[in-house]
Amino acid sequence: MRGRSLARRLLPAVAGLGALALTAGGGDHPADPSSPGRGEVRAPREFSGIAWLASTGNAEQPQETFLVCHDTRDNDAERDLPRLSIVRTPVNTDGIIVKELDVKFPSVPNDLESIARVPHRNEALLVESNADGTDPDPTIYLARWDEDLNVKIAGSVPWPATPEPLVNVEATGVATVRGRDYFVYAERAQGSDTTRINMTHLTITEDGGIRFGRKWTSVSFTAPNPPGARPASGLDIDNKGNLYISSAYDPGDLGPFDSAVYHAATVRTGGPLGARLQPVDPPLELARSSGLKVEGVGLVDGALPIFISDDDEDYGGLLRQLRVTEPVGPPHAPGPRHADADPARG
């Protein structure tokens, strides 16, 4: 499996989505008779999880770089496909830039659905979903990268014992409270509008060891919108402990999709674990993304802006910045309960 840099132009199929592009790099690849002919283009592959890596450029024209995972399965059709990509935001009309990575894993990853960035360190957890219970040994990998964004797998561990049956997890994050790390996850809870946000201690050692606590704390989250959505399809936590969740409606490979992003809870000090989850009641809707299936939520260096990654199945993937016009405060803060967001504009 070779690393492949792509930069292709993607013409919009729907007015208002704008041009999403990847420039074709791949001159070292033989012609594929099934690939698009001259004048035709393909969308980038699905983006299932997202984590911010670095900022470059300047204040007038910043460029953000993200690590993205693909929900590739361990089967004959997909086993040799890349699991990770580097995705950069646009600097011109060529659109986003995607570089598929050739990363060596200790085992073949099956259905990586989320990335949990560890605050203030160049490392993240790459999390297998359990694929509706079909994975006999779901794994969590530790990814690390250097200043040149060379990514390697530094360790792996089976999923820990969880406070509820592990079925299909697409939303994970890591919070740091008073110097101690906490692993957070939520089941996507297909068929229900309610899930549980669960949190436990997390320890990562220099040699790549990953350890989880045995005690958990949990709060409930109900997604008001969209109707029929999986309540938790993506998750990230900012430096102040604000926890953001995406909820996504997915009727099939051709959609129509629908999504929303919420300020769902806040991680606070206190409680038996030294940190506790405080729900936002009612959840603060930050964005509504009709036509898109949001599966990744990523903050830039632990703060706004918020970016989303989409797995729109047969339509491919995309990366967009949300337009949030009101500050996100603590759950008890007075004031308006809604923010304006326009994910269809870059």
Side-chain angles (χ1 to χ4, degrees), residues 105-119:
F105 285 83
S107 57
V108 179
N110 182 51
D111 203 34
L112 292 175
E113 287 278 7
S114 62
I115 304 179
R117 170 73 191 260
V118 181

Side-chain angles (χ1 to χ4, degrees), residues 265-340:
T266 304
V267 181
R268 299 290 194 194
T269 58
L273 300 184
R276 58 187 176 87
L277 291 162
Q278 181 175 340
V280 175
D281 187 18
L284 174 61
E285 182 178 305
L286 299 178
R288 185 69 181 273
S289 303
S290 180
L292 306 177
K293 185 169 68 131
V294 177
E295 288 205 349
V297 179
L299 296 152
V300 172
D301 199 16
L304 298 180
I306 300 175
F307 281 78
I308 54 170
S309 60
D310 278 46
D311 176 0
D312 290 336
E313 302 298 344
D314 288 356
Y315 288 98
L318 61 78
L319 175 75
R320 286 289 188 271
Q321 179 180 337
L322 297 184
R323 181 187 177 211
V324 179
T325 58
E326 295 180 4
V328 178
H332 58 272
R337 300 298 298 165
H338 292 280
D340 184 16

